[in-house]
Amino acid sequence: MFDVSDLTRPGQPAVSFRLSEGELACLSGPSGSGKTQLLRALVDLDPSEGSVKLLGVRRESLPPQQWRRRVAFLPAESRWWAATVAEHFAVVHAEQLRRLGFDEDVGGWRVERLSSGEKQRLALLRLLANRPEVLLLDEPTANLDAENIERVEELVTDYVSTQRASCLWVSHDKRQITRLCERCLEMADAGLRETA
Amino acid sequence: MIRLSELDLAIAASLVVALALFSRRVYPDLARQLVVAGLRTAIQLTLIGLVLKTLFENASLLWVALLSLVMLAVAGREVVARQHRRFAGVSGYAIGVLSMFISSFSIALFALVVVVGNRPWYQPQYAIPLLGMLLGNTMNGIALALDRLTQSAWEQREVIEARLVLGHSASEALSGIRQQVYRTGLIPIINAMAAAGVVSLPGMMTGQILAGAEPVEAVKYQIMIMFLITGGAGFGTLAAVHLGVKRLFDERQRLRLDRLKR
C-alpha cells in the first residue's frame, strides 16, 4: 500500500521498504540516526529523490496538500497557532476525543493552558481528523503517563485496523515495540534493516 | 531665497559631530556610524547636486534613464543590506529591484505623463526628484517588509511546517505572518499621511515654501506626492511580499529556509 523505493537524501544511504494495509511497523534506531528526517522526507517536507507511492500513485502526481493529508506526519513536538483548540481541527470527532480522555468542550480550551501531554494527544486527534491512509508517528507517547499511553496505543491500532491504514511508529521503548508491532525497521549506517 | 554659505553648513555639521562625541562613550560603534553616515550625506548630496546641474543643462531621455537605473541599483543594494536574514544569491537582490522597478517606475511615469503633464515628460527637474522620493519610500517599505517576512518565517518555521503537515497550503500556513508583514511595510507611510500637516510639515512642501513658492501650491504638490508615495510603497511591498513568499516555498510547497543566508 505504501511503497518506498530508493529514497535518497543528501548524505544519507538509500532507503526502501513497504507497508501493507492494516500494518503497524515500528521504526527505531539511536537518536541522531535520522528517523525524523526520514519521516519528513516521506511526507515531502524536505526534498528527496526516489519513488514514494501510495496505492500505486507517486507522490509527485498528487498536489502536496493532498499528499500530506493522506500521508500524515505527527512531529514529536506539536505546534499551535490559533487561540483555541477547535480552530486547529478540520472536523471534531467526539468519539475519538472521548477515547483519549477529553470531553467535547475541549474545543473551547485555550491553547496556552494545555499541558504537554494534552498537546500531544490533541495533536494526534487533529491529525486523525484528516482521515489519513498512512500514519507516520514520531514518538507519539513520549510525554504521556501509562494510562494515556495505553489509550493512544489502542486508538491508533484500532484506527489502523478499521480504516485499513498503514502506520510507521517511531519508538525507543523496547516493550512498546513488542506490544505494538510484528515488524520493526531499524535505522543503521547502511540504511534500513528489518528485525523481527 | 537666502543662499547658504559653507560656514552655515559647517555649523549644522557641528551638531552631528557633537552628538558623535557624546555617544562615543556609551556606544563607540554608533558614533562611528553617525560620522560615516554624515560624511556620506555631504558627499553624496554634493555629487548629486553637480549631476543634476549637468543633467538640467542637457536634458535628454538617455541621461535621465541612466541616472534612474543607477538610483534603482543602489536602492536594490540598500534593501539587501538592511535584511537580517536575506535570500541567498541573486534572488535576494532581484526581489527588491524588481518590486521597486514595477511600482516606482510605473508610478513615476504615470505621474509625469498623466498628473503633472510637463513637456517633455522626462524633463529632469520633475522626473528625477519625483522618482527619487518614490524610490526612497518604496525602498523603505520593501526593506521593512522583506526583513519581517524572512525573520518571521525563520522564527515560526515549526508552526508553518505544523500547518503544512496538516494539509494546509503554503499561503494558509503563512497567513498570520503575511498580515504582519504588510502592516510592517505600510505603517510608515500610513503614519506619515496621518501626521502630515498636523504633527509634521513634509520635506518637499517645506522646501518649496523656503524657495519662495505659494504655500497653497506647495501643499497641492505635497498631497500629490503623498498619494504617489503611498501607491509606490504599497504596491512595491505587495510585489516584494508576493515574490518573497514564492521564494520561501518550492514547487512542492516545502518551506525552504535553506534559501536564506545565515
Side-chain angles (χ1 to χ4, degrees), chain A residues 40 43-48 59-65 67-69 71-75 79-81 88 126-127 130, chain B residues 155-173 175 249-256 258:
Chain A
R40 285 176 59 92
V43 78
D44 219 0
L45 268 186
D46 290 333
S48 60
R59 57 178 170 179
E60 289 78 14
S61 55
L62 287 176
Q65 291 105 295
W67 178 261
R68 293 182 191 128
R69 273 189 209 129
V71 179
F73 168 47
L74 181 72
R79 296 287 158 181
W80 304 81
W81 54 91
H88 299 84
R126 164 175 94 170
L127 200 69
N130 283 338
Chain B
E155 283 167 2
Q156 297 183 41
R157 59 190 178 280
E158 286 170 344
V159 168
I160 297 170
E161 290 194 330
R163 299 188 68 166
L164 290 177
V165 157
L166 286 170
H168 295 196
S169 68
S171 70
E172 283 173 293
S175 58
F249 293 91
D250 65 12
E251 74 291 348
R252 295 295 293 169
Q253 308 212 358
R254 307 178 188 111
L255 179 64
R256 296 297 296 272
D258 55 319

Side-chain angles (χ1 to χ4, degrees), chain B residues 21-38:
Chain B
L21 286 176
F22 272 109
S23 43
R24 197 178 53 175
R25 287 179 133 178
V26 193
Y27 199 165
D29 228 28
L30 201 63
R32 196 183 52 80
Q33 282 176 13
L34 262 175
V35 173
V36 171

Side-chain angles (χ1 to χ4, degrees), chain B residues 105-255:
Chain B
F105 275 58
S106 54
I107 288 177
L109 199 66
F110 165 78
L112 289 170
V113 175
V114 180
V115 185
V116 183
N118 49 307
R119 296 250 164 90
W121 62 268
Y122 54 83
Q123 202 182 350
Q125 283 91 330
Y126 289 90
I128 297 298
L130 210 71
L131 184 68
M133 282 189 284
L134 274 166
L135 262 183
N137 285 281
T138 309
M139 177 185 82
N140 264 331
I142 289 176
L144 286 170
L146 281 180
D147 188 47
R148 181 73 188 247
L149 175 68
T150 50
Q151 187 66 28
S152 305
W154 177 270
E155 283 167 2
Q156 297 183 41
R157 59 190 178 280
E158 286 170 344
V159 168
I160 297 170
E161 290 194 330
R163 299 188 68 166
L164 290 177
V165 157
L166 286 170
H168 295 196
S169 68
S171 70
E172 283 173 293
L174 212 64
S175 58
I177 292 178
R178 200 199 296 249
Q179 285 179 350
Q180 289 302 314
V181 168
Y182 282 147
R183 210 186 102 84
T184 310
L186 289 183
I187 269 298
I189 190 68
I190 293 175
N191 286 346
M193 280 201 290
V198 190
V199 186
S200 65
L201 286 186
M204 187 187 94
M205 147 188 155
T206 319
Q208 280 185 308
I209 293 174
L210 283 180
E214 267 287 312
V216 175
E217 284 308 306
V219 160
K220 280 199 230 158
Y221 261 89
Q222 188 63 56
I223 292 173
M224 177 192 74
I225 286 294
M226 282 295 221
F227 291 162
L228 293 180
I229 284 175
T230 307
F235 287 116
T237 304
L238 288 182
V241 172
H242 177 76
L243 295 172
V245 169
K246 264 181 94 164
R247 184 69 193 152
L248 272 179
F249 293 91
D250 65 12
E251 74 291 348
R252 295 295 293 169
Q253 308 212 358
R254 307 178 188 111
L255 179 64

